[in-house]
Amino acid sequence: MTDVRAPQLRLPILLRIGAVLLGLLLTLLLVLVFFPWNMLREPVNRYVSERTGRKFEITRRLDVDLGWRGATIKLDGVEFANPAWARDPYLVKAERAEFELRLWPLLSRRVVIPRIALVSPVLGLQMEEDGRRTWALGKNTADSGTAPVIGLLEVDNGSLDFLAGFRGVDLHADFSFDSAQGDMPLTYRIKGRYQRQALTAQGRTGNVLQIESAGAPPFPIEIDATAGRTRLKAQGTVAELSTLDGVDARFDLRGQNLGDLYPLLGIALPQTSPYALSGELRKQAKQWNAIGIKGKLGLSDIGGDMRFDQSAKLPYLSGQLRSSVMDMDDLGPLIGLPPTERSANAVDGVAPPPTITEVKRARRDPGRKVLPTATLDFERLRAMNADVKYTADRIRNVRELPLDQGAVQVKLKDGVLTLDPLKLGVAGGSLAGAIRIDGTRNPADIRAALDVRAMQLNRLIPKVETMRTSFGKLDGRVNLAGQGNSVASWMGSASGDVAALTGRGQFSNLLLEFMGLDGGEIIKFLLGGDRNVTLRCAALAFDVDKGTMHSRSVMMDTEDTVFNATGQADLSKETLDFVVRAQPKDMSILSLRTPLHIGGTLGSPSAGVEAGPLATRGALAVVLGAINPLLALAATVETGPGTDADCQEVMATAKRPASREAASGAAKAKKQ
């Protein structure tokens, strides 16, 4: 017979067991709630000190509020020492500290602290090149696995020191809290060195700083910082302080040179005149975006958008920039020259850098070379990749080089810098081509291949333009290849081909007579006015062999005179040695026709007639003058032996290099 009472007996037993367990749980909860946690203060001090290898002490009282997911730990007075190798004695020392600790991650040895609140803290953070950091909690301070994940940080007054000597960083920050400041009650001041440059900064932020992203809304922040010669003002919000993720701010950036941003931000920008830029700055993950950039670069306006992506092995800079008006004075620093006085003083609020005039005066060397000697920065060439397009709608202050407009695409990939395509509107024509600098070699391999098309000579030569002449149009090319770490050293070693050609046009007769030293014609045109003569053809072509420009075809043929020049220019020494011979085609008296010697240097050229032929004519004039003064004029009579040049042959000669070295250099330059 079945016992029907057994299930009825088990139910009260289960209820009694459940009631006992519930009672035990309630008792445990009551014990935990009313537990005198301060009794654990000394054991906690000993335990943390042992586990971390450095002294930890709760100086006055310990209290804990438990929850289902975590615990809120309250410390009245806390001191946590730094490792013995650190400069500052304490990692943290505060009047009071409160932090929330997630319990479940502790099972996997992860320390997750969603919130820390500190009252009057003194913080000492330091990191070393070998990976040691004072905030790593294990005995091995280079072990990143023991570093806590910190969410929000609340600070009520206090100070912070951060030292990373191997990066040139040594900063001290003071914080003060004032609830009357609205949504940004925490004011901070920073002073010290950043990337080995003096840094000062001040600003405000919310009292809650989000160290790691934890789903909280971005906190407001504003900053006014000066590092070296660079000043940044910004106001906006930041979602995560440790990586600056979620930045959304308006910025105003100004300084003496955009190149100064490389040690500060790791962005390899070119050397420039003083600048002032503003726009919006945003960051998501590893990508920075500068949107709506507007401002000045020296005397030029500039605007556009830029992106800086740090996700790849090498950071990548890209964007598009445009100038409505670009001033030629602003181009000097790009090739290693100091800015002009106009550019140096163009931006308000920026101390002007030394100008090219001041630099020359300080050197006290008027014969110094004129080709830029500033060396390439190979570290910058290899620091990132880039693809940036720049366009100038109009170019002004061109002086002796009448540029109209320009555009260039700058690419930097694995240490190789290219300007391709490079297009400039010059004197109604164009200069187009490419320049390549291979920074993976030392000295760098540099190549330039440029073509000249339809430049108007009357605009290209200002002195001729003032005489209201009407030249023809100029075509030409520059194909040079060589090695060097500056413009000067490259040109001093380059080989290749340089040529300029023009066909028929009009030329100032007065200017020609001055060039030919024809006194009678000069007097005639000074009394009767200038007139133009026909230019049949002209060529200016050189073979460049390892830095020396040898004249291949240097000739100008007009209806009055044929000019031929021979000689060379040494680009390494920057010396000139040319002889210009003029052969008039008409008869004239008072002619002192004799070869013209052009010498000196690029920085200080000189010109003078050759003494031998001139002395011969002078002696003849003296002899004839002794017989009859009027006969002395016979010695200066020019019978006009010059004949028309074979323009087709001249052009053909100018179009092709003659030497093997020049031909090889030109071919290499065009390969890019």
Side-chain angles (χ1 to χ4, degrees):
M1 187 174 184
T2 303
D3 188 355
V4 297
R5 291 177 302 175
Q8 296 176 350
L9 292 173
R10 292 193 192 99
L11 184 59
I13 294 174
L14 292 175
L15 289 175
R16 285 195 294 272
I17 293 173
V20 171
L21 292 176
L22 180 59
L24 290 173
L25 180 60
L26 291 174
T27 301
L28 178 61
L29 290 175
L30 289 173
V31 170
L32 292 175
V33 170
F34 295 102
F35 185 80
W37 292 101
N38 195 51
M39 293 176 55
L40 298 179
R41 181 163 58 90
E42 290 301 327
V44 168
N45 289 345
R46 289 192 299 270
Y47 177 80
V48 175
S49 298
E50 172 61 28
R51 293 288 293 175
T52 61
R54 55 180 106 164
K55 183 180 178 181
F56 175 84
E57 184 177 6
I58 304 169
T59 59
R60 290 188 291 273
R61 183 173 180 80
L62 166 67
D63 205 354
V64 178
D65 293 336
L66 289 175
W68 290 107
R69 298 180 59 191
T72 300
I73 302 171
K74 302 176 182 179
L75 312 177
D76 188 11
V78 60
E79 296 177 358
F80 192 11
N82 264 325
W85 51 264
R87 178 183 65 182
D88 296 317
Y90 294 103
L91 173 66
V92 58
K93 181 179 181 180
E95 287 295 314
R96 290 189 300 278
E98 179 178 307
F99 63 94
E100 297 176 8
L101 178 67
R102 291 281 184 259
L103 299 178
W104 300 112
L106 294 175
L107 299 177
S108 58
R109 302 184 64 185
R110 291 176 59 242
V111 180
V112 178
I113 303 175
R115 183 181 70 91
I116 296 179
L118 301 173
V119 177
S120 300
V122 175
L123 305 172
L125 307 180
Q126 185 172 335
M127 61 187 300
E128 295 296 311
E129 191 172 9
D130 58 10
R132 290 176 296 165
R133 289 154 301 162
T134 57
W135 58 91
L137 296 184
K139 291 184 178 181
N140 177 11
T141 55
D143 181 9
S144 61
T146 59
V149 177
I150 301 174
L152 305 179
L153 174 65
E154 298 178 12
V155 179
D156 187 351
N157 300 323
S159 65
L160 177 148
D161 282 282
F162 178 73
L163 175 63
F166 68 99
R167 292 182 177 174
V169 179
D170 187 356
L171 299 175
H172 175 81
D174 290 309
F175 304 94
S176 59
F177 186 84
D178 184 358
S179 58
Q181 295 287 340
D183 60 350
M184 287 193 286
L186 188 66
T187 299
Y188 61 88
R189 293 183 178 274
I190 302 174
K191 188 174 183 179
R193 299 191 67 80
Y194 180 76
Q195 297 293 359
R196 299 176 177 83
Q197 297 189 46
L199 172 73
T200 58
Q202 59 184 4
R204 298 184 304 152
T205 183
N207 67 317
V208 176
L209 308 180
Q210 192 167 316
I211 307 300
E212 299 284 349
S213 181
F219 62 88
I221 189 169
E222 65 178 32
I223 186 171
D224 182 350
T226 300
R229 301 174 299 184
T230 304
R231 183 174 184 179
L232 169 68
K233 291 183 178 181
Q235 183 171 0
T237 57
V238 180
E240 185 174 306
L241 194 60
S242 62
T243 62
L244 294 180
D245 200 19
V247 168
D248 189 350
R250 290 285 307 175
F251 73 89
D252 182 286
L253 182 68
R254 58 187 63 212
Q256 285 189 358
N257 189 335
L258 278 174
D260 293 342
L261 295 182
Y262 175 67
L264 295 174
L265 305 177
I267 305 176
L269 297 175
Q271 304 299 311
T272 67
S273 298
Y275 65 90
L277 305 173
S278 62
E280 291 188 23
L281 185 66
R282 298 172 186 169
K283 182 178 186 286
Q284 291 295 332
K286 298 254 183 184
Q287 180 164 299
W288 294 82
N289 291 278
I291 303 169
I293 299 172
K294 293 182 180 179
K296 295 180 64 178
L297 200 60
L299 296 156
S300 308
D301 70 273
I302 194 165
D305 301 321
M306 298 292 290
R307 291 166 295 281
F308 189 59
D309 190 345
Q310 296 175 299
S311 60
K313 181 179 179 180
L314 281 179
Y316 181 69
L317 179 70
S318 61
Q320 293 187 344
L321 298 172
R322 178 180 293 272
S323 295
S324 298
V325 179
M326 191 272 285
D327 196 289
M328 281 290 292
D329 274 13
D330 299 324
L331 296 184
L334 294 177
I335 58 173
L337 296 175
T340 66
E341 184 175 355
R342 295 173 67 245
S343 287
N345 292 276
V347 178
D348 294 335
V350 176
T355 67
I356 189 169
T357 302
E358 292 169 341
V359 170
K360 287 182 177 180
R361 186 183 300 121
R363 288 171 176 167
R364 297 179 181 178
D365 183 7
R368 190 176 179 86
K369 295 182 178 181
V370 298
L371 294 177
T373 57
T375 57
L376 290 171
D377 190 328
F378 288 92
E379 179 185 353
R380 298 191 186 206
L381 285 177
R382 300 165 186 165
M384 70 179 196
N385 292 329
D387 187 351
V388 179
K389 296 179 180 179
Y390 172 74
T391 301
D393 296 333
R394 184 166 67 89
I395 302 176
R396 70 182 178 192
N397 188 37
V398 293
R399 294 190 178 93
E400 281 135 20
L401 187 61
L403 296 174
D404 304 315
Q405 58 186 357
V408 63
Q409 183 167 0
V410 180
K411 299 176 185 177
L412 179 59
K413 184 172 177 59
D414 299 330
V416 179
L417 175 67
T418 59
L419 280 63
D420 185 12
L422 171 63
K423 298 179 180 179
L424 296 174
V426 185
S430 67
L431 174 69
I435 297 175
R436 180 180 185 270
I437 301 174
D438 186 349
T440 63
R441 303 181 182 183
N442 191 1
D445 180 80
I446 305 177
R447 307 176 188 181
L450 304 169
D451 287 325
V452 176
R453 293 287 181 267
M455 291 187 187
Q456 298 174 15
L457 285 173
N458 63 324
R459 292 188 57 197
L460 196 61
I461 307 175
K463 290 183 179 178
V464 175
E465 185 177 19
T466 61
M467 294 182 179
R468 292 177 288 185
T469 60
S470 177
F471 257 101
K473 293 185 178 180
L474 181 72
D475 294 327
R477 63 189 176 278
V478 175
N479 294 315
L480 294 175
Q483 294 183 331
N485 293 338
S486 67
V487 173
S489 62
W490 168 60
M491 295 191 71
S493 71
S495 296
D497 173 32
V498 175
L501 312 171
T502 186
R504 297 185 68 85
Q506 296 293 314
F507 195 82
S508 166
N509 195 43
L510 180 58
L511 183 60
L512 285 178
E513 303 302 344
F514 271 111
M515 292 172 63
L517 300 180
D518 194 327
E521 294 295 329
I522 293 172
I523 294 173
K524 179 178 67 177
F525 287 113
L526 285 177
L527 295 176
D530 186 19
R531 66 178 178 82
N532 284 350
V533 295
T534 300
L535 172 69
R536 297 184 66 249
C537 61
L540 190 73
F542 297 91
D543 280 359
V544 186
D545 295 349
K546 297 179 181 178
T548 301
M549 298 178 63
H550 300 279
S551 60
R552 182 171 76 240
S553 179
V554 181
M555 185 279 305
M556 183 168 61
D557 182 18
T558 76
E559 63 182 10
D560 280 0
T561 309
V562 177
F563 294 90
N564 285 284
T566 57
Q568 63 185 28
D570 189 326
L571 298 179
S572 177
K573 300 177 181 178
E574 295 193 10
T575 57
L576 303 172
D577 185 11
F578 290 97
V579 175
V580 182
R581 292 178 173 84
Q583 294 180 315
K585 299 178 183 180
D586 57 353
M587 181 178 292
S588 173
I589 65 171
L590 296 181
S591 174
L592 298 179
R593 180 176 58 86
T594 188
L596 180 69
H597 181 259
I598 299 176
T601 66
L602 296 181
S604 181
S606 61
V609 296
E610 288 193 351
L614 189 60
T616 300
R617 289 202 172 199
L620 180 59
V622 171
V623 172
L624 294 175
I627 301 172
N628 186 333
L630 292 178
L631 292 179
L633 295 176
T636 66
V637 173
E638 178 57 69
T639 58
T643 60
D644 288 347
D646 185 343
C647 286
Q648 290 186 350
E649 177 61 26
V650 169
M651 296 298 184
T653 302
K655 286 181 179 179
R656 58 179 181 271
S659 72
R660 179 180 300 178
E661 185 72 28
S664 175
K668 184 178 180 181
K670 289 187 284 189
K671 285 183 179 179
Q672 292 294 324

